[in-house]
Amino acid sequence: MNQFTPKLFDVLKDYSAPKFIKDLVAGIIVAIIALPLSIALALASGVGPERGIYTAIFAGFVISFLGGSRVQIAGPTAAFATIVAGIVATKGMSGLVIATVMAGIILVIMGFLKLGNLIKYIPHTITTGFTAGIAVTILIGQIKDFLGLKFVNSPIETLEKLKECWECMGSFNWQALVVGLVSLAILIIWPRIKYVNVVPTSLIAVIVAILMVKLIGMNVNTIGDLYVIPRSIPRPEIPSFDLASIGELLPSAVTIAVLAAIESLLSCVVSDGMIGDRHKPNAELIGQGVGNIASALFGGIPATGAMARTAANVKNGGSSPIAGMVHAITLFVVLLVLMPYAAWIPMPAIAAILFIVAYNMCGWREFVNLCKTSPKSDILVLVVTFILTVVFDLVVAIEVGIVMAAFLFLRRMSSVTEIKSWEYLEDEAEKEDENHPEHINFKSVPKGTLVYEVTGPLFFAISDKFMDIHAEDDVKAIIIRMRSVPSLDISAMRSFQKIAKDCQKRGITLILSHVLEQPMSVFEKTGLKAELGEENFLPNIDAALERAKEICVG
């Protein structure tokens, strides 16, 4: 089975009419769920509400068609809200289009390079930290509409928004708060009611909020008060690229690509467990890439797999990518027919929906659990990533988090690697004592021979440990036992070369015992094996000691 072939093509081999009916129903239900969410997430991203619908339509259809999952539903998600808002505020929509297209290209390249399985190497502390940070930024960003505040300025940074909320508290609108609280109560209570939670909760909250405004006359801002909502089909627009804009937007594009890859593949893993299937990670990355390019060209924003909508698809009977395609087509019909009515949606209801989105994505229980159970270095990465996401932005948080995690990992690995000299016992009684801590090393070592045991990977962070290898003037042979060295890099190899050169000057023979496959290939490629001689690379410690005996006894 080709790992690049879309999952749709595999599913169609045994597709049937009953399966299509289930996919049709599931797709329509998911579209109803996605409608208010897509609008809310677009507004949270600093763009018009219609762009969330464009994203769900074009990215949703393409990713279902080309992706590697049977049930993945793609569209705008909360993970992108802060970074999209930052790009739009500083570079405008044209900058967002360029960044999204570049991110799509990066995703396609990642897929063809078979990097789908490498996403798992991003530390869990980083993903947990920036996810919680994004949740906090979304929550703070919705305080304005939830309380009906009127800002004097238009802050971009999260802390600036919080400060502006405090300074503009005099414009507080109690009616907006009432609409927001009622919407929030519905979002919290409705899912707990049996037999009536078939209807999407967010849709109920939106309808009730609209009725409060229209029938009771609550004086609150609606989407139509702030935005003009077109009902036409967007035309594709090709952005004009130049080296300056590419250079400026590349970090944001990389962040979008990494986020899209992480979130989509995590969603695929969760859905695999729900349906007992296995997704194709590389095909999914390619589908995500092409989908994001399509979204950007047709006026949308970045998209990825949406875990909540994917789960809803499965629960409602969706079993193939056709359900995701039906979801996109349904939203397309809504765009043409019902979009003007979206102007009636009150902004506090949108804020309430985003509060729930932020709560669901924050993962506070996991955050607290990691702080309780993780090593201090992991907690540091978690907290720093979280704080940087809130105070600065996602790009800075991910960059710093990954660098910190890498350095802390190297420090941890360097503490694992040990280079120890054997202990030499002269008393025969001591040699026969099985409880002696060095009993394992009781082998006959020729006089004038030193034996060093190396444990763990040898890489640049521990090269200085080779300085522990030294010999007196009467030493004729040094054995380095490497049975527990799985890997060796060029920095450690240079240390070996220095030791070999020093031994050569002093007339000492360097013998290597039990060299594993990867280190042996490095010795061969660098020529050190030929320099030391084939006879000085022995398969085990006994053969190495025999070789040392030949040298020392003469």
Side-chain angles (χ1 to χ4, degrees):
M1 189 179 296
N2 193 321
Q3 60 182 308
F4 301 124
T5 304
K7 199 74 172 180
L8 175 65
F9 297 172
D10 299 334
V11 171
L12 289 178
K13 294 176 182 178
D14 59 351
Y15 202 61
S16 62
K19 289 182 179 179
F20 174 72
I21 297 299
K22 290 183 178 180
D23 285 338
L24 181 65
V25 172
I28 293 172
I29 293 173
V30 172
I32 296 171
I33 295 172
L35 178 62
L37 280 176
S38 298
I39 292 173
L41 292 168
L43 296 177
S45 301
V47 299
E50 75 282 357
R51 296 190 183 277
I53 306 296
Y54 297 162
T55 307
I57 292 172
F58 294 101
F61 187 91
V62 172
I63 292 172
S64 291
F65 186 81
L66 295 178
S69 170
R70 293 172 64 100
V71 292
Q72 179 88 284
I73 300 295
T77 66
F80 292 123
T82 53
I83 188 169
V84 170
I87 295 172
V88 172
T90 55
K91 302 296 181 182
M93 276 304 301
S94 60
L96 178 62
V97 172
I98 294 172
T100 307
V101 169
M102 290 168 59
I105 294 171
I106 293 170
L107 282 165
V108 171
I109 293 172
M110 289 170 65
F112 280 116
L113 291 178
K114 302 180 182 180
L115 300 181
N117 293 319
L118 296 182
I119 300 300
K120 63 185 178 183
Y121 294 114
I122 295 179
H124 181 57
T125 48
I126 292 178
T127 57
T128 303
F130 73 63
T131 301
I134 290 169
V136 170
T137 59
I138 290 173
L139 187 147
I140 292 174
Q142 299 311 307
I143 293 175
K144 169 182 175 290
D145 291 324
F146 194 77
L147 299 180
L149 304 178
K150 295 180 180 179
F151 279 7
V152 176
N153 303 305
S154 300
I156 299 174
E157 302 296 335
T158 301
L159 295 184
E160 291 177 356
K161 289 179 182 178
L162 193 59
K163 180 182 178 183
E164 187 75 8
C165 286
W166 177 256
E167 293 177 349
C168 297
M169 197 57 69
S171 63
F172 164 67
N173 180 352
W174 68 268
Q175 296 184 57
L177 178 61
V178 170
V179 173
L181 288 175
V182 170
S183 302
L184 193 60
I186 292 171
L187 292 166
I188 295 172
I189 297 171
W190 187 267
R192 303 174 187 270
I193 302 175
K194 292 184 178 180
Y195 309 117
V196 299
N197 59 2
V198 176
V199 182
T201 310
S202 56
L203 187 62
I204 298 298
V206 164
I207 291 173
V208 171
I210 290 174
L211 292 176
M212 291 178 69
V213 173
K214 292 292 183 182
L215 299 182
I216 303 176
M218 305 292 282
N219 181 28
V220 300
N221 281 332
T222 63
I223 291 178
D225 295 330
L226 304 178
Y227 302 94
V228 176
I229 304 179
R231 58 187 296 179
S232 58
I233 303 171
R235 296 182 178 180
E237 296 183 6
I238 308 297
S240 57
F241 287 83
D242 58 76
L243 291 177
S245 60
I246 289 175
E248 291 175 359
L249 292 167
L250 183 59
S252 297
V254 171
T255 303
I256 292 172
V258 171
L259 274 178
I262 293 172
E263 192 163 359
S264 65
L265 294 179
L266 283 177
S267 178
C268 285
V269 170
V270 172
S271 65
D272 283 351
M274 296 176 71
I275 64 174
D277 190 47
R278 291 187 65 182
H279 70 285
K280 298 179 178 181
N282 297 314
E284 181 64 23
L285 290 183
I286 294 171
Q288 291 287 336
V290 178
N292 272 280
I293 293 172
S295 176
L297 297 182
F298 282 92
I301 59 178
T304 186
M307 201 170 295
R309 276 159 273 176
T310 299
N313 181 34
V314 175
K315 290 177 181 178
N316 286 284
S319 62
S320 81
I322 290 176
M325 296 160 67
V326 169
H327 139 267
I329 294 170
T330 303
L331 288 173
F332 182 74
V333 174
V334 170
L335 174 68
L336 296 180
V337 179
L338 301 176
M339 199 59 186
Y341 298 105
W344 295 357
I345 301 175
M347 294 304 294
I350 295 294
I353 291 172
L354 289 170
F355 280 166
I356 297 299
V357 169
Y359 176 80
N360 289 336
M361 78 175 295
C362 73
W364 66 269
R365 291 182 180 85
E366 178 67 10
F367 195 102
V368 172
N369 183 58
L370 286 174
C371 288
K372 289 180 178 179
T373 60
S374 301
K376 292 181 180 179
S377 58
D378 288 337
I379 296 174
L380 180 63
V381 172
L382 171 70
V383 173
V384 168
T385 304
F386 169 75
I387 293 173
L388 291 179
T389 302
V390 175
V391 176
F392 294 100
D393 59 48
L394 204 54
V395 177
V396 174
I398 291 178
E399 289 174 349
V400 173
I402 289 177
V403 170
M404 283 184 62
F407 274 113
L408 291 170
F409 172 76
L410 291 175
R411 181 186 175 190
R412 196 173 300 162
M413 291 302 296
S414 65
S415 66
V416 170
T417 302
E418 292 183 331
I419 301 175
K420 288 186 175 180
S421 173
W422 278 14
E423 180 179 334
Y424 305 103
L425 305 177
E426 300 296 336
D427 192 313
E428 291 298 324
E430 285 186 299
K431 292 182 181 180
E432 294 174 2
D433 181 8
E434 293 189 0
N435 295 320
H436 194 284
E438 300 294 335
H439 181 77
I440 192 172
N441 294 332
F442 293 161
K443 292 183 180 292
S444 180
V445 178
K447 187 176 181 181
T449 300
L450 292 179
V451 181
Y452 287 90
E453 184 97 23
V454 185
T455 304
L458 296 178
F459 61 108
F460 61 89
I462 55 87
S463 296
D464 60 321
K465 288 191 176 183
F466 279 104
M467 297 302 102
D468 295 336
I469 295 180
H470 56 274
E472 302 297 335
D473 293 337
D474 60 342
V475 172
K476 295 182 179 180
I478 295 178
I479 298 174
I480 300 180
R481 196 181 192 190
M482 298 180 63
R483 60 176 179 169
S484 300
V485 180
S487 61
L488 174 73
D489 76 355
I490 195 63
S491 297
M493 174 53 64
R494 288 181 63 85
S495 297
F496 264 111
Q497 290 171 333
K498 290 178 182 177
I499 293 170
K501 190 174 291 186
D502 183 58
C503 288
Q504 190 177 22
K505 287 180 181 178
R506 300 175 58 185
I508 299 173
T509 301
L510 184 61
I511 303 170
L512 300 182
S513 163
H514 203 148
V515 181
L516 301 179
E517 183 178 354
Q518 192 277 341
M520 183 65 82
S521 67
V522 179
F523 282 123
E524 291 172 349
K525 289 178 181 178
T526 56
L528 188 59
K529 183 175 181 180
E531 184 180 332
L532 293 178
E534 183 85 29
E535 68 277 7
N536 292 319
F537 282 76
L538 284 308
N540 53 58
I541 188 62
D542 293 320
L545 290 170
E546 284 296 322
R547 171 62 179 159
K549 186 176 180 181
E550 292 175 9
I551 295 167
C552 295
V553 177

